[in-house]
């Protein structure tokens, strides 16, 4: 099925550990983004990409790295996990211009 | 910072009634989008309205946009229990349509 696939769905990390959240889309979308959602809040943009090899920071980029080597994949790396990074992470993709985004089902991350 | 703010934060109605949610934003926009999120799931794109449009329909959804007041409303007619979800507005700021900024959402409960 076409869409945005995120792995893993759940993850528990210890403070200081690093990990990569995977995101892949098969719709040939140029735009891809990572958001985090905290309880009772909307989504906040972490990083985004407008095409392979091009990334930029969003509203809350600290503690996260991204790269975009292919159109399909946009992994999010947590460098040294902190309890403040406990959240639900969503990846989304879109065509350029005025189009809606397709979201993945999310990764629920807990940092202890 | 959040560009969009939804009102009300929570809304409870009976099946068959109409539900209206409002969104206010702060800066000039390229377009405004509405998304639905069922509990524990990713976001689903509902409808997009461009800055030069005033009203748009999609099935039981009606969206209005007033750029002079920097506000939008989402009307769901003849609501169903399956419409129970959180609804978010998201704005794509002029000159940066690649980024979406989300509000904190309206939790809609439709009682059978």
């Amino acid at each position: 099925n076409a869409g945005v696939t995120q792995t893993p769905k759940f993850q528990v990390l210890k403070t200081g550990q690093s990990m990569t959240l995977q995101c892949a889309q098969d719709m040939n979308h140029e735009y891809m983004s990572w958001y985090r959602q905290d309880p009772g809040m909307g989504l906040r943009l972490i990083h985004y990409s407008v095409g392979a090899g091009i990334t930029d920071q969003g509203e809350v980029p600290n503690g996260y790295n991204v790269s975009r080597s292919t159109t399909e994949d946009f992994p999010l790396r947590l460098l040294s996990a902190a309890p403040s990074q406990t959240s639900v992470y969503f990846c989304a993709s879109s065509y350029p211009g005025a189009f809606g985004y397709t979201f993945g089902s999310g990764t629920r991350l807990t940092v202890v | 910072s959040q560009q969009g703010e939804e009102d009300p934060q929570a809304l409870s109605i009976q099946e068959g009634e109409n539900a209206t949610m409002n969104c206010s934003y702060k800066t000039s926009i390229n377009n405004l989008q509405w998304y639905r999120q069922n509990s524990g799931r990713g976001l689903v794109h509902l409808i997009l309205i461009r800055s030069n449009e005033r009203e748009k329909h999609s099935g039981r959804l009606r969206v209005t946009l007033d750029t002079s007041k920097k506000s939008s409303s989402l009307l769901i007619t003849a609501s169903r229990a399956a419409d129970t979800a959180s609804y978010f507005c998201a704005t794509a700021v002029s000159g940066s349509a690649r980024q979406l900024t989300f509000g904190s959402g309206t939790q809609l409960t439709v009682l059978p």
Side-chain angles (χ1 to χ4, degrees):
Chain A
N1 290 338
V4 178
T5 302
Q6 290 185 240
T7 56
K9 293 190 182 305
F10 301 94
Q11 183 71 48
V12 179
L13 288 179
K14 293 182 179 179
T15 297
Q17 286 185 319
S18 62
M19 80 160 294
T20 299
L21 280 61
Q22 301 292 343
C23 175
Q25 53 92 8
D26 58 2
M27 297 169 285
N28 204 32
H29 286 168
E30 291 186 38
Y31 287 3
M32 295 187 76
S33 300
W34 276 103
Y35 292 87
R36 60 177 289 173
Q37 184 178 33
D38 299 300
M41 296 180 68
L43 281 70
R44 292 183 292 170
L45 182 64
I46 304 171
H47 285 285
Y48 65 98
S49 170
V50 298
I54 306 169
T55 64
D56 206 345
Q57 297 181 351
E59 181 185 354
V60 288
N62 292 340
Y64 308 95
N65 271 356
V66 292
S67 60
R68 183 105 180 264
S69 56
T70 67
T71 300
E72 294 78 19
D73 300 299
F74 191 42
L76 178 71
R77 281 181 282 278
L78 278 70
L79 308 174
S80 177
S84 60
Q85 294 178 304
T86 293
S87 189
V88 182
Y89 291 84
F90 289 100
C91 179
S93 69
S94 173
Y95 291 114
F99 294 94
Y101 273 75
T102 300
F103 278 78
S105 58
T107 295
R108 187 173 296 273
L109 176 68
T110 302
V111 182
V112 297
Chain B
S1 61
Q2 291 181 320
Q3 160 81 315
E5 294 295 334
E6 284 93 339
D7 171 60
Q9 291 187 329
L11 179 61
S12 183
I13 60 174
Q14 295 290 329
E15 206 165 25
E17 293 181 339
N18 295 342
T20 300
M21 288 159 270
N22 302 297
C23 170
S24 60
Y25 57 92
K26 299 174 184 175
T27 63
S28 295
I29 61 171
N30 177 287
N31 64 77
L32 185 146
Q33 306 178 25
W34 286 90
Y35 289 81
R36 183 187 75 234
Q37 183 180 35
N38 292 91
S39 181
R41 301 290 189 93
L43 280 74
V44 175
H45 179 253
L46 296 176
I47 194 166
L48 180 151
I49 186 164
R50 292 176 172 78
S51 60
N52 61 353
E53 298 176 311
R54 292 297 168 258
E55 187 171 313
K56 204 162 183 180
H57 297 255
S58 177
R60 294 184 296 114
L61 306 180
R62 172 177 169 256
V63 170
T64 62
L65 179 64
D66 187 335
T67 53
S68 67
K69 296 181 179 178
K70 292 186 170 57
S71 67
S72 173
S73 68
L74 172 68
L75 169 67
I76 304 174
T77 60
S79 62
R80 306 164 181 168
D83 294 328
T84 294
S86 292
Y87 292 80
F88 295 91
C89 70
T91 52
V93 177
S94 293
S96 184
R98 62 202 68 177
Q99 300 179 56
L100 290 182
T101 304
F102 284 82
S104 54
T106 293
Q107 172 61 52
L108 173 66
T109 302
V110 182
L111 303 169

